[in-house]
């Protein structure tokens, strides 16, 4: 068993095909098949189910892939580190939408001014998708607003944040002196998509009060939700950082709900087997400062 076996296994998994893996690696199909069979014989397990001429990873195969991705990644990083100084290379950074909108541009600007020869590639999406990209080693590390769902990830908080409840300027709740979660049950909800960090916190907090909101509108776009709220379609729970300018401009209003806690933290996440280069560590230091 050697690195070649691991690279072939990863290529087959990523392409879901021995034929495509053979073409991309410039290796014959029989050689690919032999390498996979050697791995299965070596470990005494079945890595793939072969059904209707298609390959499906077994549960053991999924576990092996998790390690294989990082074994091959470590080797690639070793070569990069040896061939380049620490001020040359690239960082693949992931970010949830709130962080990507308000914090990431400044982080990249500061980092690039200090390390002009390091390219930074940023992917912005909801926290759940970003987490999976880190697990698949398609990102070196990420900054997210939600809690992690995998034991293979390391998570460290680096910044406090808060969600707020927003409504249109004509919402009747604004006339009440005291607003409770019970009052929110009378409202229609516009919410971020499922599995986003914002949605997960909003759902969990409302559930603690015995209330499950069924949104009339779900969107990955915060701006779309804000526009819907400003037009009186309903209320929303969104990050204060994303809505504070709209509140200041008088486009929407904030509802001060007395019995609800929507504070949270932002997290740095990376795979537990990931080797962080010194430039990666410098970027993470920048975030914590």
């Amino acid at each position: 068993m050697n690195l070649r076996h691991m690279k072939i296994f990863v290529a087959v998994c990523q392409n879901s095909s021995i034929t495509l893996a053979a073409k991309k690696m410039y290796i014959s199909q029989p050689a690919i098949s032999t390498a996979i069979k050697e791995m299965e014989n070596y470990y005494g397990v079945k890595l793939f189910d072969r059904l209707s001429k298609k390959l499906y990873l077994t549960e053991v195969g999924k576990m092996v892939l998790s390690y294989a991705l990082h074994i091959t990644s470590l080797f690639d990083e070793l070569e990069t580190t040896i061939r380049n100084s620490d001020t040359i290379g690239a960082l693949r950074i992931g970010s949830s939408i709130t962080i990507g909108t308000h914090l990431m541009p400044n982080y990249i600007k500061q980092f690039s001014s200090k390390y002009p020869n390091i390219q930074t590639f940023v992917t912005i999406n909801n926290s759940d998708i970003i987490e999976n990209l880190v697990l698949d080693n398609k990102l070196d590390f990420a900054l997210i607003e939600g809690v992690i769902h995998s034991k293979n990830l390391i998570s460290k908080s680096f910044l406090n944040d808060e969600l707020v409840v927003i409504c249109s300027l004509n919402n009747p709740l604004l006339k009440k002196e005291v607003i409770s979660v019970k009052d929110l049950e009378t409202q229609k909800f516009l919410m971020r998509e499922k599995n986003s960090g914002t949605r997960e916190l909003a759902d969990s907090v409302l559930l603690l009060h015995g209330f499950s909101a069924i949104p009339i509108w779900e969107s990955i776009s915060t701006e779309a939700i804000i526009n819907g709220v400003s037009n009186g379609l309903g209320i929303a729970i969104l990050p204060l950082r994303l809505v504070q300018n709209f509140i200041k401009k008088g486009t929407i209003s904030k509802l001060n709900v007395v019995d609800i806690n929507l504070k949270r933290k932002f997290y740095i996440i990376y795979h537990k087997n990931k080797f962080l280069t010194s430039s990666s560590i410098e970027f993470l230091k920048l975030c914590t400062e």
Side-chain angles (χ1 to χ4, degrees):
M1 186 57 51
N2 53 41
L3 184 64
R4 176 177 175 274
H5 287 88
M6 292 293 176
K7 286 189 171 184
I8 288 174
F9 175 67
V10 169
V12 172
C13 292
Q14 290 178 337
N15 292 281
S16 299
S17 165
I18 288 177
T19 302
L20 290 176
K23 287 182 179 179
K24 289 198 173 183
M25 297 189 74
Y26 300 100
I27 300 174
S28 68
Q29 289 185 45
I32 296 281
S33 298
T34 298
I36 297 299
K37 191 171 183 179
E38 286 173 349
M39 285 185 69
E40 292 180 326
N41 291 338
Y42 181 83
Y43 289 114
V45 297
K46 193 174 183 181
L47 299 174
F48 295 97
D49 284 323
R50 297 159 177 84
L51 304 172
S52 301
K53 298 183 179 180
K54 291 186 178 181
L55 296 178
Y56 298 91
L57 269 175
T58 62
E59 289 303 312
V60 175
K62 291 176 183 177
M63 182 178 65
V64 174
L65 177 60
S66 176
Y67 283 97
L69 279 167
H70 290 280
I71 290 171
T72 55
S73 171
L74 281 172
F75 182 79
D76 292 340
E77 287 168 358
L78 170 64
E79 290 203 321
T80 300
T81 302
I82 292 174
R83 292 176 180 176
N84 302 294
S85 70
D86 190 52
T87 57
I88 300 174
L91 288 181
R92 302 167 300 165
I93 307 167
S95 169
S96 57
I97 292 171
T98 301
I99 297 173
T101 301
H102 276 265
L103 301 177
M104 189 59 73
N106 186 49
Y107 289 159
I108 296 298
K109 182 180 179 181
Q110 290 186 55
F111 183 80
S112 296
S113 66
K114 189 173 182 180
Y115 299 98
N117 293 322
I118 295 180
Q119 281 190 298
T120 53
F121 299 94
V122 179
T123 299
I124 299 174
N125 214 312
N126 73 43
S127 296
D128 192 55
I129 291 175
I130 292 298
E131 180 178 325
N132 287 327
L133 291 174
V134 174
L135 283 170
D136 290 340
N137 198 44
K138 293 177 181 176
L139 296 172
D140 296 318
F141 58 87
L143 312 177
I144 67 168
E145 59 207 62
V147 296
I148 59 172
H149 304 89
S150 172
K151 63 182 180 181
N152 290 320
L153 294 177
I154 291 174
S155 173
K156 297 179 179 179
S157 64
F158 72 97
L159 193 66
N160 294 322
D161 189 47
E162 181 182 3
L163 303 185
V164 292
V165 184
I166 59 170
C167 67
S168 70
L169 302 179
N170 299 317
N171 193 297
L173 289 181
L174 292 172
K175 296 178 181 178
K176 296 193 66 171
E177 291 185 8
V178 178
I179 303 170
S180 69
V181 175
K182 196 70 178 174
D183 294 312
L184 302 185
E185 295 183 26
T186 65
Q187 301 292 304
K188 294 178 180 179
F189 275 80
L190 287 70
M191 303 186 80
R192 282 284 307 277
E193 77 287 1
K194 290 182 179 179
N195 298 322
S196 72
T198 296
R199 175 66 177 274
E200 283 192 345
L201 177 59
D203 281 342
S204 63
V205 169
L206 292 176
L207 280 173
L208 284 175
H209 291 266
F211 171 44
S212 179
I214 301 176
I216 62 166
W217 192 339
E218 289 180 315
S219 176
I220 195 172
S221 168
T222 301
E223 189 174 355
I225 294 173
I226 293 172
N227 286 335
V229 169
S230 67
N231 280 284
L233 300 184
I235 64 173
I237 300 176
L238 292 172
L240 177 59
R241 295 173 190 272
L242 296 184
V243 301
Q244 56 190 358
N245 286 337
F246 295 92
I247 294 172
K248 289 178 181 177
K249 291 177 182 177
T251 305
I252 54 176
S253 289
K254 174 186 171 185
L255 289 174
N256 295 311
V257 185
V258 295
D259 55 349
I260 194 170
N261 180 11
L262 291 168
K263 295 185 183 300
R264 64 177 179 178
K265 294 181 181 294
F266 289 156
Y267 295 92
I268 295 165
I269 66 169
Y270 53 92
H271 198 282
K272 66 179 183 180
N273 296 325
K274 185 70 176 179
F275 171 76
L276 294 178
T277 62
S278 55
S279 55
S280 295
I281 294 170
E282 284 299 315
F283 190 97
L284 298 182
K285 282 183 180 178
L286 175 69
C287 299
T288 57
E289 292 170 358

